[in-house]
Amino acid sequence: MATTTRLFDPIWSLAAALIVGGGGLLVGTVLVIATQLAAVSAGIELTPFTVIVMSLILLQGIAFGGVALLYAKFRGFGIDHFGVRIPSVRDLAAIVLGYVMALGAAFTGALLISSIGVEAGSNQVTEIAAKDPEVLLLLIPASFLLIGPGEELLFRGVVQNRIRESFGPAAGIALASAIFAAIHFVALTGGASARLVTIGILFFPSLVFGTAYELTDNLVVPALIHGTYNATLFTIAYIAFKFMEMNPNGVPTGLFF
């Protein structure tokens, strides 16, 4: 019986991580769709701005954060289980280094894909921003307030920790990063192969987030790296879209990701 239990533990650990990670996405998606349908039924106009605000609050805020905290409560963990504290000097150094590495990984991947001519999937947020770049100004602070904290709480605090319990730190980082990148499939547009290319790019910054969490045992570190990383990409995209408005033929679209 003991041997059977030991064999079952790793399987259950991975299954639980997948269920919690996928569950957060599923709950958030249901909340967003239900709220949008209710708004339309009530005659409320859904602008790109309101759609983004709705998604941020319901998905990254309520769904991701709520599922993570419910799972922690189910297992009898407190918030201290995730390692949430004010960053030390060492943590701050990890944040700076992690930010540079994550951004470098994203740019390197994007340039590589562009150079070999492989089609990548497009983020739905980018498509909305192409019509209304001002929504990106909302996403910059939201990166620090909702996106970074919500996604890191669920995918590093819960998913990575759960996998780590049975498979060790290296597998925890790699598998949690793969799951985190994969859940972006539904947020991308384009063919399946194009979406998988973008997921492949996202995997490497995610490795940085996971490694930073493992080395510092402080969830604030990957949350700040993630938030700063996203805020930088949103800022670059905003500047690029505004530049394109003034110079429609001035910037090759292949430079954007």
Side-chain angles (χ1 to χ4, degrees), residues 26-47:
L26 178 61
V27 170
T29 301
V30 171
L31 286 175
V32 170
I33 293 174
T35 305
Q36 288 179 345
L37 291 175
V40 171
S41 299
I44 300 173
E45 181 183 0
L46 294 178
T47 64

Side-chain angles (χ1 to χ4, degrees), residues 6-94:
R6 285 196 297 270
L7 290 174
F8 183 73
D9 281 346
I11 298 174
W12 171 240
S13 179
L14 184 57
L18 289 168
I19 291 170
V20 174
L25 177 62
L26 178 61
V27 170
T29 301
V30 171
L31 286 175
V32 170
I33 293 174
T35 305
Q36 288 179 345
L37 291 175
V40 171
S41 299
I44 300 173
E45 181 183 0
L46 294 178
T47 64
F49 183 85
T50 56
V51 169
I52 291 293
V53 171
M54 191 181 298
S55 297
L56 286 171
I57 294 174
L58 296 176
L59 186 61
Q60 277 89 350
I62 295 176
F64 283 8
V67 167
L69 293 176
L70 283 174
Y71 178 77
K73 184 176 181 180
F74 171 76
R75 296 198 65 194
F77 297 145
I79 192 67
D80 57 316
H81 169 74
F82 302 112
V84 179
R85 61 181 183 276
I86 297 174
S88 64
V89 174
R90 177 175 175 271
D91 291 340
L92 292 174

